[in-house]
Every structure is written in C-alpha cells, then in structure tokens.
C-alpha cells in the first residue's frame, strides 16, 4: 500500500472527515455538530467512534468522530487505530484527518496509528468480506511536511513486515524471503544472499541442520545500508527467518503449527526496518542478517542426538528439533560478531514460554547492557509499544550443560525464554548485544487494541526510533 499522505486545504475535504475530540470537549463544535454528537451519546471518551453523514456541516459526505479521552499520546494512538479500523470495515477509502491543534508528535502518532488500524491482509480474499483500504489520506492542520514523510516511511516499513509475516508459507519460503530483501537494494543498500553450498563452506551448520529436511533450500541474507554521509553508529539487526516451523522430528501438534508462518517475524521486522531506511535514510550504518529456513519433518531432517559444530566452533547437542530458532540465530550472531558493529540486536519469535510469560502485547528484552536496555525501553515508551526487560543471569547457564557436546539446545521447562537467551549469548562477542523475543507480539490470533489478527509489525517503529536517535 502506498498511502501518499498530503497536506490539504480546507476547501478540498475528501469524502470522509475524521475528527478527534477530547472527552467533554464537544462544546467547541458548531451547534449542528453538537446536536449530531448528542444524538449519538458521544462524549469523546477514548476509542469511542461515531460515524455519521455530515448533513452539510462539512464538505465531505461523512464524518468519523473519534474520542481521544484525555488526549495523551496513548489515547490518541488507540483512537486513531479504532478510527482507521472503522474506515476499513466500512470501505471508506478517501479520508481527511483533521489534526488542527495537534503537536508534531501527536500528529505523527495519529497518522501512523490510523494506518495500522486500517491495515488488512486480504489479497487472498476473492469474495466478501473485502473492503477498500486507504486510497487517499490528506491532513488538515499545520503539520510539517517532514512529519508526513516520516509517517509515510514508518507506515511502509510496518506494512512491509506485516505482509511478509501474513504471507502463507507456500508464498514466503527462504528464497522468496531473500528476493524480498534483494528488492530493497538501491545505491545505499546492498544485499548478498548465500545458498547452501556457501553456508556449508562458512560452517553455518546450525542453519544447514535446521533446513536440511525441507525441499526449499536455506538461505543466509545479508543486507547492508550505508548512509550518504558519515555514520554516527554501526548496528547489526539479526532476524529469525523460519518461514515455517513444523517442529522438525519433534513435530508440533496441528493447533500449534497452524500459525507457524509467523516464525519469520524477526526477519520480517528486519526487512520492515530496511524498508523504512529506504525512505528515511538516517545517518547510521545498519546490517541486516537473516537466517532463512523451513523446519520440516522429513526423512533427511536433523535428528535428536545430533551434535552440530556451529559457525563459531562451539558444539551443540540437539535435544529437541523444535528449538530450531536458536540454532539458526546462533550462526547469524557469530557472523555478526565479526562485523565491527557497536550494537547487535536480534529479533526472534523464539519461545512459546515468552507468550506464556508476557502475552501478546509485550516483547521480551534480554540484555546485560544497562545503557542499551534503557535506550530501547525509552524508544518503546516513545512509540507506545510494549517492551519488558527480563533477567539474563549467568547462573542459569548450567541448565544448558550437555553430555556430549558443549551445550544443548534446550534448558528444560523452567525459565524457557531465559535459557533460550543464554543459549544465544554463547554466540555473541565483540559488541553490545540485546535479544528481543517477539513470540507473542509479532502475531495475534485474534484482534487486539484495534489491530487485526495476524502479523502486527511490532517493534519496527520502536527499533527504527532507536536506530535514528
Ligand atoms: N517458533 C517457536 C516459538 C513460538 C511459539 C513462536 C509460539 C510463536 C508462538 C519455537 O521454535 C519453538 O518451537 N520453541 C519451543 C522451544 C522448546 C522446544 C524448548 C517452544 O517454545 O515450545
Ligand atoms: Zn520451533
Ligand atoms: Zn520456531
């Protein structure tokens, strides 16, 4: 979707005007509008939506009134999502947001959230219900052109991620994920893709093992964005790209497997951020590293008891083939450790235990770098996304002790997300590192806070904010 947000003059209102109103502030409107709002019992409380014909009170055909409660940023976000969602459900596609009196921050939050609530993945719906998305979005009020460009770049990035995560596994497999990366290449972004021969040559045996049971060959994807001027910092983003996680020989039950196209959510986040980099071009150097595999149950799948020699030389005993993400990520992290970056972040739908602990709203943050944690949490507070720090204590490392190899790939039921993080830490050197487990936040099984079910694009905006600040 290319939304094309533009500033618009009062006399060119599109067919639907969207007005945001604080609680009990309805008196500031004309008496005709106050009457319409009174009839609908509209008080302006947060997330309250009323959609009415405009009865000639404005130029457009319809008005959506959205309550923003106290008007704080979180209420603005939720209400804008609710309004965007309402517009989509009703096929309203030519819209004007009235942002008079909004600060730059509120305007940005409002536009981005409106688009997030409006998003649908409906390209496979050939019959109803399929409703029109935004065709034109114009803005009333004194909103800087830069804010509109910024909003557009972030919306494109998040939607790019959501489309990839929602794409069914017959469409999104390692090579097509690699192609999505190649499509982002330009004079600032280079993309290199390694095939299985190269992966073997580079000792990326975690990736090889996990992907060997699939007829869709594995890929390692390296994107590299260089700013036009000097880079203020260098960053590597590592994304889990398991395009389908059947569990391998430790096969998942059908119910758990159904949504496992979301298991490339970390890769989707990285690619979404690169999509934003294309437009927004911050002065930061960014590497994107993706291990792209399918974890299938087949005659040549990797097996329990296998001992893998990973890229950094450590050996891993396989106790469960469904704990595959950490094996794929380990090789990527070892590769990223040699890039000379200041920070390396990894993003992965890594553990079911994370969903049990934090549910769908929160991404779990693991890192022992105090500064980095503070920065990331501050960025999440800025964008309104949930990011919750979890402990990463060395004294749990013995849970990963193996009998035959250096470590095993599972640590038992207790502290499942933490031992997964500790496993990853074994493959990181030379850089400040944080691990983000998005198992809950990347994909919703049912709509939540006016976001549709499916891929959410969580953390694209937060991580972009962190990169650019
Ligand atoms: N991809 C899953 C984790 C997951 C679960 C993501 C639910 C999103 C929603 C991961 O590969 C996995 O299967 N992990 C196992 C690890 C266990 C075998 C130690 C799990 O969480 O059950
Ligand atoms: Zn798994
Ligand atoms: Zn997985």
């Amino acid at each position: 979707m290319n939304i094309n947000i533009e500033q618009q003059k009062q006399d060119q209102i599109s067919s639907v005007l969207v007005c945001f109103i604080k609680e009990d502030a309805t008196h500031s409107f004309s008496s005709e509008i106050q009457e319409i709002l009174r009839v609908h019992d509209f008080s302006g409380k947060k997330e309250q939506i009323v959609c009415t014909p405009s009865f000639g009170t404005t130029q457009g055909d319809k008005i959506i009134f959205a309550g923003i409660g106290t008007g704080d940023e979180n209420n603005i976000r939720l209400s804008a999502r609710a309004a965007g969602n309402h517009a989509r459900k009703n096929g309203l596609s030519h819209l004007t947001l009235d942002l008079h009196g909004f600060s730059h921050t509120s305007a940005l939050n409002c536009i981005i959230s409106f688009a997030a609530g409006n998003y649908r993945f409906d390209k496979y719906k050939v019959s109803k219900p399929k409703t029109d998305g935004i065709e034109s979005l114009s803005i009333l009020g004194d909103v800087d052109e830069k804010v509109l460009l910024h909003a557009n770049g972030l919306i494109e990035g998040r939607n790019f991620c959501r489309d990839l995560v929602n794409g069914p596994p017959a469409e999104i497999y390692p090579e097509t994920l690699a192609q999505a990366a190649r499509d982002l290449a330009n004079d600032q972004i280079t993309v290199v893709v390694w095939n299985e021969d190269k992966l073997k040559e580079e000792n990326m045996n975690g990736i090889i093992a996990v992907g060997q049971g699939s007829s869709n060959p594995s890929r390692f994807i390296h994107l590299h964005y260089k700013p036009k001027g000097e880079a203020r910092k260098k960053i590597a983003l590592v994304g889990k790209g398991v395009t389908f996680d059947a569990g391998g020989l430790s096969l998942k039950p059908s119910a758990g497997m159904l949504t496992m196209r979301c298991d490339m959510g970390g890769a989707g986040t990285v690619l979404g951020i690169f999509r934003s980099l294309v437009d927004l071009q911050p002065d930061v150097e960014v590497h994107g590293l993706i291990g792209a595999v399918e974890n299938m149950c087949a005659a040549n799948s990797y097996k329990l008891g296998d001992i893998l020699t990973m890229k950094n030389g450590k050996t891993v005993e396989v106790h469960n083939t469904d704990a595959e993400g950490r094996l794929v990520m380990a090789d990527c992290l070892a590769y990223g450790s040699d890039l000379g970056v200041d920070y390396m972040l990894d993003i992965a739908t890594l553990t079911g235990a994370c969903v049990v602990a934090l549910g769908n709203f929160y991404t779990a943050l693991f890192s022992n770098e105090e500064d980095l944690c503070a920065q990331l949490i501050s960025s999440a507070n800025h964008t309104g996304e949930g990011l919750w720090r979890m402990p990463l204590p060395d004294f749990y490392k013995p849970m990963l002790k193996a009998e035959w190899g250096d470590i095993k790939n599972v640590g038992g039921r207790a502290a499942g997300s933490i031992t997964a993080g500790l496993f990853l830490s074994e493959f990181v050197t030379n850089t400040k590192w944080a691990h983000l487990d998005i198992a809950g936040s990347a994909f919703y099984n049912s709509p939540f806070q006016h976001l549709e079910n499916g891929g959410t694009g969580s953390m694209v905006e937060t991580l972009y904010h962190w990169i650019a600040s």
Side-chain angles (χ1 to χ4, degrees), residues 376-439:
L376 289 166
I377 287 171
S378 155
S379 287
N381 290 339
H382 186 87
T383 61
E385 296 195 280
L387 183 62
W388 198 261
R389 186 171 176 188
M390 303 276 268
L392 197 62
D394 269 358
F395 53 74
Y396 280 179
K397 276 192 180 168
M399 293 199 221
L400 292 168
K401 202 172 160 357
E403 202 171 347
W404 315 98
D406 296 330
I407 49 174
K408 56 182 178 175
N409 75 332
V410 292
R413 262 177 63 79
S417 299
I418 300 175
T419 52
L422 287 170
F423 181 94
L424 297 182
S425 74
E426 295 287 330
F427 299 88
V428 179
T429 49
N430 306 326
T431 179
K432 293 184 175 174
W433 163 73
H435 157 56
L436 281 77
D437 194 334
I438 56 168

Side-chain angles (χ1 to χ4, degrees), residues 240 245 252 260 263 320 322 324 326 349-352 410 439:
K240 173 173 171 182
D245 182 10
K252 283 183 186 295
M260 277 303 134
D263 215 18
N320 189 317
D322 197 12
E324 84 298 339
R326 61 197 76 184
T349 47
L350 203 64
T351 62
V410 292

Side-chain angles (χ1 to χ4, degrees), residues 1-4 92-95 118 132-137:
M1 167 167 50
N2 192 353
I3 294 187
N4 249 331
L92 309 175
S93 51
H94 295 280
L95 299 133
N118 194 263
D132 289 338
I134 299 168
E135 273 168 45
S136 72
L137 184 64

